[in-house]
Amino acid sequence: MLKFYQKYTGSGGLLTSDNPSTGEPIGEVSLFTADDAKEAVARARAAQKDWAAKSLEERGNVLRRFQQVLLRRALPERRPLDPG
């Protein structure tokens, strides 16, 4: 099973992102450590077997759903606030 909209939290704490025009905080980003990266790579390697078994059509459907989620949930709320 592919999970493409799961929140992951790094163990390196949080970084506050500020609006560059006002200096006001607009959100927090989870910081990841080297160990977090190693775990992510291990998970990606494990998930690759399931991904490779999917047909091109199934992969395309997953990527289109991911795009829809990304455009609907992640990008619109952040794009106008933090241009850089």
Side-chain angles (χ1 to χ4, degrees), residues 5-77:
Y5 193 75
Q6 187 173 0
K7 293 186 179 186
Y8 292 101
T9 303
S11 60
L14 295 173
L15 172 70
T16 301
S17 179
D18 297 328
N19 182 324
S21 65
T22 65
E24 295 291 318
I26 57 174
E28 293 179 326
V29 178
S30 187
L31 299 176
F32 289 78
T33 65
D35 287 338
D36 293 330
K38 288 176 187 174
E39 182 181 344
V41 168
R43 287 176 183 238
R45 284 189 177 135
Q48 199 281 329
K49 294 172 189 168
D50 287 340
W51 182 253
K54 296 202 175 296
S55 70
L56 235 87
E57 183 178 356
E58 289 174 307
R59 291 181 194 188
N61 290 337
V62 169
L63 292 174
R64 278 188 285 283
R65 285 187 3 236
F66 174 74
Q67 177 192 30
Q68 291 168 355
V69 170
L70 186 63
L71 292 173
R72 187 175 63 244
R73 294 184 184 171
L75 296 179
E77 66 188 44

Side-chain angles (χ1 to χ4, degrees), residues 17-18 20 78-79 81-84:
S17 179
D18 297 328
R78 294 205 172 38
R79 188 180 297 146
L81 298 175
D82 190 358

